[in-house]
Amino acid sequence: MSTVPEQEGRASDELVRSLLNAGSLTPDWAESFHAVPRSWFLPDRYWSHDMTTGRNVAVSREEDPEEWARQAFADVPIVTQWDDGRHSGTEPGTVPTSSASMPSVVASMLRDLGVHSGMRVLEIGTGTGWNAGLLTHRLGSENVVSLEIDAAVTVRARTALTRAGLHPTVVCADGALGYPDAAPYNRVIATAGVRTIPRAWLEQSDSGGLILAPFGTHYSNEDALVNLTVGNDGSASGPFLRPVEFMKLRAQRLDWDRFKDHVTLPYPGNAARSSTHLRLADLGDRWSAQRFAVGLAVPHVAHVVNRAPAGDGSSVWLFSTTERAWACAEFPDDGEPVVYQDGPRRLWDEVERALGWWADQQRPPLDCFGLSVSSEGELRPWLADRSNPVPSFA
Ligand SMILES: C[S@@+](CC[C@H](N)C(=O)[O-])C[C@H]1O[C@@H](n2cnc3c(N)ncnc32)[C@H](O)[C@@H]1O
């Protein structure tokens, strides 16, 4: 293994200390975090993501080595690729498609993975290779397989890992198919968000194994970490732990273009018009429990809130991902909201009923929910325990 130079070591130590103090890093992982610094896996130019403003700021090692090193050890996500590699230049691209996740998220996911020596781990989404490097330091090269769909990203990660003296199996492949050659695994950790749990992960897991994945619905871009225990029959079940937000598996991204012909123009056409007792705030904000709960209870629907310039109110759009149904609730700054709905589903009514159900359940937080997955991959979200399924309002 390579050794950590002194200056880099001090910055890395400081990050480790703050992660330990915050509780996201557990002492059993501290040695690996010391030995495998994040900076070894970062390209010379990256974009540091500001969690508060959502801005992505380009940082160049050549132009500003101090800032490059500072961000490398800051608790921020770092974007390393845009638009599946089709973007070049310093300005951010359209969609961030590979990154080094926030150190506190990396540490807490490794904590929740609950590994012991000798365990075999499959990682989905190699990205920079940092997480694979940490796992390899802890468990040994022979016990870690990491899958990355992007060829250029795979090559960079492999190079960084080799330079660090770490040799996990890194394969350029679709992580949704797993890697049967080295199965079974005691742990599967996905570092890309998913909208389904691929059957291959269940089939390639040992009985009693864990699958830790950022899972969500197309209702929003947010995910929640789900910790599934795989049973003898190949099904899996477990709780949601907390909100996170990850880049999605390539095939599970939501393509907004598919809705461009949903609404017949001129709007609202022959759509049914009604009112609603809901206010915009009732739908919840980013990472709110009700937003997540509605996503679980109203399947196959995407939603977006358009905030018009001051004085013009806001509108909430809902689109079915499986048929040509849509709804739009207009919330003027003054006056009563108006709802338009069209197509074979009444999407606003479904969301309204789901929010009513969530309120009737005493407004449970996200970590009261869980997910069961049958061996065929069928999803059944639940509240409090698996015998209490979340109803579907579709
Ligand atoms: C958030 S990054 C992973 C961060 C990484 N674990 C690290 O330590 O830097 C997500 C990665 O998942 C990859 N990815 C997306 N879809 C994938 C798929 N179907 N199979 C494997 N990797 C995929 C992306 O290319 C991206 O590099």
Side-chain angles (χ1 to χ4, degrees):
M1 268 226 49
S2 303
T3 48
V4 184
E6 200 180 317
Q7 202 180 352
E8 219 164 344
R10 276 200 298 275
S12 175
D13 289 352
E14 190 46 47
L15 174 65
V16 170
R17 226 183 339 267
S18 71
L19 295 175
L20 281 168
N21 286 341
S24 39
L25 183 67
T26 42
D28 56 333
W29 276 103
E31 196 187 323
S32 300
F33 271 69
H34 278 300
V36 185
R38 190 193 199 203
S39 54
W40 288 0
F41 296 86
L42 297 176
D44 289 343
R45 185 178 60 205
Y46 58 63
W47 292 264
S48 168
H49 180 79
D50 185 322
M51 292 292 282
T52 322
T53 63
R55 284 183 62 228
N56 296 288
V57 179
V59 183
S60 156
R61 188 177 210 164
E62 197 186 352
E63 286 161 24
D64 194 344
E66 279 174 22
E67 181 62 5
W68 188 95
R70 203 175 68 78
Q71 295 293 332
F73 293 106
D75 193 21
V76 293
I78 284 179
V79 178
T80 51
Q81 187 201 56
W82 294 92
D83 305 327
D84 296 329
R86 290 187 299 275
H87 174 81
S88 58
T90 308
E91 288 304 308
T94 310
V95 182
T97 47
S98 191
S99 69
S101 308
M102 251 173 114
S104 55
V105 171
V106 173
S108 55
M109 282 179 74
L110 290 173
R111 176 194 69 203
D112 296 333
L113 202 60
V115 296
H116 306 293
S117 70
M119 278 191 171
R120 302 181 47 70
V121 178
L122 173 67
E123 183 197 31
I124 314 297
T126 313
T128 62
W130 185 40
N131 197 48
L134 292 164
L135 281 163
T136 305
H137 181 268
R138 175 90 189 258
L139 297 172
S141 297
E142 68 285 8
N143 287 324
V144 179
V145 176
S146 184
L147 307 179
E148 168 58 53
I149 200 157
D150 188 282
V153 172
T154 309
V155 169
R156 273 202 304 272
R158 262 200 215 118
T159 306
L161 284 159
T162 305
R163 217 184 287 135
L166 299 160
H167 306 283
T169 302
V170 177
V171 183
C172 182
D174 182 356
L177 303 176
Y179 190 68
D181 294 13
Y185 304 99
N186 306 102
R187 299 288 184 262
V188 175
I189 177 172
T191 61
V194 291
R195 296 296 174 254
T196 63
I197 302 292
R199 279 176 66 175
W201 300 359
L202 300 164
E203 288 162 2
Q204 294 171 27
S205 288
D206 235 349
S207 167
L210 290 185
I211 299 174
L212 183 68
F215 174 89
T217 65
H218 284 311
Y219 186 68
S220 80
N221 199 49
E222 291 123 50
D223 308 298
L225 268 188
V226 72
N227 201 356
L228 302 168
T229 302
V230 181
N232 289 329
D233 61 354
S235 68
S237 190
F240 288 107
L241 304 179
R242 60 186 170 278
V244 285
E245 192 165 340
F246 271 81
M247 296 162 181
K248 309 300 175 249
L249 275 199
R250 269 195 191 173
Q252 298 193 18
R253 289 179 193 151
L254 180 61
D255 174 14
W256 285 93
D257 275 354
R258 66 202 273 182
F259 306 128
K260 67 181 188 316
D261 297 325
H262 259 48
V263 182
T264 311
L265 297 174
Y267 165 85
N270 294 325
R273 182 187 157 117
S274 57
S275 59
T276 179
H277 65 273
L278 291 178
R279 293 296 170 262
L280 191 56
D282 295 328
L283 276 91
D285 274 331
R286 195 172 182 220
W287 287 333
S288 62
Q290 68 263 51
R291 195 187 260 202
F292 192 71
V294 169
L296 296 179
V298 183
H300 313 302
V301 64
H303 100 291
V304 64
V305 180
N306 288 339
R307 292 182 207 283
D312 284 341
S314 302
S315 41
V316 178
W317 282 91
L318 303 169
F319 299 100
S320 165
T321 59
T322 47
E323 63 251 276
R324 200 170 158 188
W326 62 269
C328 179
E330 297 177 1
F331 291 90
D333 286 345
D334 298 311
E336 286 305 302
V338 181
V339 177
Y340 295 100
Q341 306 187 74
D342 202 7
R345 286 173 69 181
R346 287 290 178 260
L347 297 177
W348 184 261
D349 298 351
E350 293 177 15
V351 166
E352 210 171 65
R353 293 208 316 271
L355 280 168
W357 168 81
W358 177 76
D360 289 346
Q361 308 303 307
Q362 315 303 324
R363 306 164 71 85
L366 186 147
D367 59 5
C368 285
F369 289 89
L371 186 70
S372 295
V373 192
S374 73
S375 53
E376 280 76 44
E378 192 194 332
L379 303 173
R380 289 190 212 102
W382 43 260
L383 175 61
D385 70 76
R386 54 191 300 184
S387 65
N388 185 32
V390 172
S392 167
F393 293 93

